[in-house]
Amino acid sequence: MTKLLPAKHLLLIAAVCLFLAIVLIAFPQKETTNNAISLEARFEQIDQSELTFADIEELTPTAQAIPKDFKPDTFSSIYDLPTPEALRKKNSPPSYVDTSVEIKTGDSLSKVLTNEGISTQDIYKVSQADKKQKSLVRMLPGQTITFTKNENTGELTKLTLVVDKLNSVTFERDDKGFNRTEKHRTPDVIQTYKEAEINSSLFVDGLKSGIEQSLLIELASIFGWDIDFALDIRKGDRLSLLYEEKFLDGEKIGNGNIIAAQFINNGRTFQAIRYKTQRGSHYYTPDGLAMRKTFIRTPVDFTRISSKFNPNRLHPIFKTSRPHRGVDYAAASGTPVKAAGDGKVSFAGKQTGYGNVVIIDHGRGYQTLYAHLKSFSRGIRRGATVSQGKIIAYVGQTGWATGPHLHYEFRINGTHKNPVTVKLPNDDPMPKKDLKTYLPYAKQIMATLSNSHSPAFARKLASLNN
Ligand SMILES: [Zn+2]
């Protein structure tokens, strides 16, 4: 190379080198100090979510190579630098420290780890390893992060997110960054039988009999289609259930599903068995009929029925004989009104008398009507599809109404039925091909229940079956 260069060029290069050396010797302190300050400032401004790997690499070596307290007095001091603290630590044997942090509301991975003194680079590398699965992004308050840090270098070596008692995700440091692994444990599941006699309410007597509240809530939703737990419960009603309990290392960690349940209410017996078909897991009668009905009985949480279904009623405003073709549920203005079943809105707007009204067409000749509404939910207009339980509007007193209430009508093929007593159709029955395997299973489950009944329960059941 040098041979190719004319001598005057070589002289010029030598001159430039000499000039640079003089500059470096004359102003070393100023240069390094500026450098350190500007690096710090840059670190503070970093939004790690926007960092690229190249950014980090560009920043990393410089940031570590120049210690903050590096203040050489002369150029020569660079050769006998006192070993910086960090460098000395790096060379001593690693000492690992484990830390466990519970996630609180508003926490993020970077917030938690930054507080614990983990570097931006390490936080970035861990989140890169979790880029696809996003477990760390989705972490929730109450979950725990445990991590191991090398105290000498400040390096993060391992991090585990404990999702729950059964699931965790671990990140372990390797040459490239972090290696992500998931751990899933399977609990032992046992079947447990419980029963209760009801003397005051499902919840009071259920809890007394050692049935947990979560199971009672589920029972209420399984049988809620047939039994009104506020009005229908009678002293001496009985219930029994078979459910799953989950154990991990001999310790109970929770309940699984209710496998089957029976409810003897006011002389009627209801039985439900959980079964999984292609449509998901649902409860069926031992014959394979869905427990769930196509309609919910009352589309609003009401305080009282202010006017019953009455084909020969004297109208409160007109004082003439005018049939009341629906039922009036008194409720505070603004109470949500739910769609009684799946369907399509066929009318949403004002009508004389009804005020703001919604009519839903449910197919197969079924129609429901909701009147005197204060307002409609967003998107509720003619042609909108609604599913059972969806909030469609709010209680008001528009039209001819003397106070806030929901006027609710239930029509089958154009004929008005009493919404309180009309026999509601069951949801679609189980598909025929599932029924073949379901029926023998149901028989076996019912036998398991029967074998578990207390003598008192068995007597009560036998007295009803006769
Ligand atoms: Zn009415």
Side-chain angles (χ1 to χ4, degrees):
M1 185 98 177
T2 36
K3 274 183 190 169
L4 298 172
L5 290 169
K8 60 176 178 182
H9 281 208
L10 280 175
L11 266 175
L12 188 66
I13 289 168
V16 168
C17 285
L18 185 67
F19 174 72
L20 279 176
I22 291 164
V23 167
L24 279 173
I25 290 162
F27 314 101
Q29 195 159 348
K30 195 178 166 223
E31 285 291 303
T32 19
T33 316
N34 278 349
N35 222 352
I37 286 169
S38 73
L39 271 173
E40 255 179 21
R42 271 184 85 181
F43 262 112
E44 275 166 9
Q45 285 165 1
I46 286 168
D47 174 357
Q48 67 163 89
S49 63
E50 287 177 3
L51 276 182
T52 64
F53 204 71
D55 290 336
I56 297 242
E57 286 207 315
E58 184 199 310
L59 290 169
T60 310
T62 339
Q64 283 177 351
I66 302 172
K68 258 200 272 180
D69 51 359
F70 174 44
K71 284 177 189 152
D73 294 320
T74 62
F75 187 69
S76 64
S77 71
I78 207 156
Y79 297 105
D80 51 27
L81 256 184
T83 315
E85 187 70 358
L87 211 62
R88 192 176 55 73
K89 275 188 170 179
K90 206 167 188 168
N91 294 332
S92 53
S95 112
Y96 296 106
V97 176
D98 293 329
T99 312
S100 191
V101 184
E102 195 189 304
I103 306 304
K104 294 189 185 67
T105 312
D107 275 352
S108 65
L109 181 73
S110 72
K111 190 175 164 192
V112 170
L113 294 187
T114 305
N115 281 345
E116 297 293 332
I118 303 295
S119 70
T120 314
Q121 297 98 302
D122 279 355
I123 296 170
Y124 173 75
K125 282 178 187 168
V126 171
S127 44
Q128 278 300 99
D130 191 42
K131 209 162 68 178
K132 264 191 225 149
Q133 302 86 348
K134 292 194 171 26
S135 309
L136 294 168
V137 176
R138 286 196 218 105
M139 66 188 192
L140 297 170
Q143 293 176 340
T144 310
I145 280 186
T146 60
F147 62 90
T148 309
K149 185 174 152 187
N150 181 341
E151 276 299 286
N152 292 336
T153 60
E155 234 178 30
L156 180 70
T157 55
K158 186 179 169 181
L159 180 141
T160 299
L161 170 69
V162 183
V163 177
D164 53 40
K165 281 177 178 155
L166 299 174
N167 304 293
S168 64
V169 190
T170 296
F171 301 85
E172 269 177 292
R173 197 176 198 101
D174 59 16
D175 329 333
K176 288 175 204 153
F178 284 86
N179 179 37
R180 184 187 187 282
T181 50
E182 287 183 11
K183 202 168 153 191
H184 306 284
R185 297 191 64 190
T186 320
D188 300 317
V189 178
I190 62 158
Q191 293 190 354
T192 303
Y193 172 84
K194 292 238 166 97
E195 64 175 53
E197 181 177 5
I198 297 175
N199 289 308
S200 56
S201 82
L202 170 68
F203 284 90
V204 169
D205 297 297
L207 289 171
K208 254 188 222 166
S209 306
I211 303 168
E212 286 161 64
Q213 185 167 306
S214 58
L215 292 170
L216 294 169
I217 292 170
E218 217 181 316
L219 278 175
S221 82
I222 294 170
F223 293 109
W225 302 99
D226 299 294
I227 305 167
D228 182 331
F229 285 93
L231 303 173
D232 296 344
I233 294 297
R234 297 289 179 274
K235 194 173 156 68
D237 281 357
R238 279 173 187 272
L239 69 93
S240 73
L241 75 155
L242 193 64
Y243 66 100
E244 294 170 336
E245 281 188 296
K246 293 178 179 173
F247 290 86
L248 197 68
D249 306 325
E251 185 200 343
K252 180 167 170 177
I253 58 160
N255 295 321
N257 298 311
I258 292 179
I259 300 162
Q262 292 172 302
F263 210 109
I264 304 171
N265 168 242
N266 198 12
R268 308 173 294 172
T269 306
F270 300 99
Q271 320 194 85
I273 299 162
R274 186 185 176 90
Y275 198 67
K276 193 177 176 183
T277 69
Q278 275 194 335
R279 290 184 215 148
S281 292
H282 297 286
Y283 288 91
Y284 296 91
T285 68
D287 299 327
L289 293 175
M291 292 299 287
R292 183 184 186 268
K293 303 281 193 272
T294 310
F295 297 95
I296 44 178
R297 180 68 68 186
T298 36
V300 68
D301 286 329
F302 62 102
T303 51
R304 67 196 170 88
I305 289 180
S306 50
S307 179
K308 289 181 180 171
F309 181 81
N310 182 355
N312 313 301
R313 179 186 71 150
L314 203 63
H315 194 275
I317 291 177
F318 299 105
K319 306 291 179 203
T320 53
S321 176
R322 265 172 172 256
H324 190 228
R325 293 196 167 125
V327 62
D328 290 349
Y329 294 108
S333 178
T335 306
V337 175
K338 294 171 261 183
D342 298 347
K344 225 174 210 180
V345 174
S346 61
F347 184 88
K350 260 191 183 47
Q351 280 185 17
T352 319
Y354 280 141
N356 288 328
V357 60
V358 173
I359 302 172
I360 300 176
D361 216 319
H362 303 280
R364 294 187 236 173
Y366 287 90
Q367 249 188 359
T368 53
L369 178 148
Y370 315 77
H372 308 312
L373 303 165
K374 183 182 185 181
S375 57
F376 307 102
S377 292
R378 185 191 270 226
I380 296 300
R381 62 178 79 88
R382 189 190 159 87
T385 306
V386 291
S387 52
Q388 187 183 69
K390 184 191 160 65
I391 294 170
I392 50 166
Y394 301 89
V395 170
Q397 61 176 94
T398 55
W400 300 335
T402 50
H405 73 276
L406 173 71
H407 169 92
Y408 177 54
E409 291 180 19
F410 195 97
R411 301 175 189 161
I412 305 175
N413 296 322
T415 309
H416 289 84
K417 302 282 180 185
N418 183 350
V420 178
T421 56
V422 65
K423 190 173 165 12
L424 298 174
N426 287 65
D427 228 6
D428 290 342
M430 190 178 291
K432 278 228 169 69
K433 73 172 177 45
D434 290 312
L435 203 60
K436 249 187 195 169
T437 46
Y438 173 74
L439 290 176
Y441 168 76
K443 213 171 182 176
Q444 177 213 319
I445 289 291
M446 293 317 291
T448 307
L449 274 177
S450 295
N451 293 335
S452 313
H453 289 153
S454 68
F457 196 102
R459 270 199 303 277
K460 177 111 187 175
L461 200 60
S463 75
L464 292 172
N465 291 339
N466 287 338

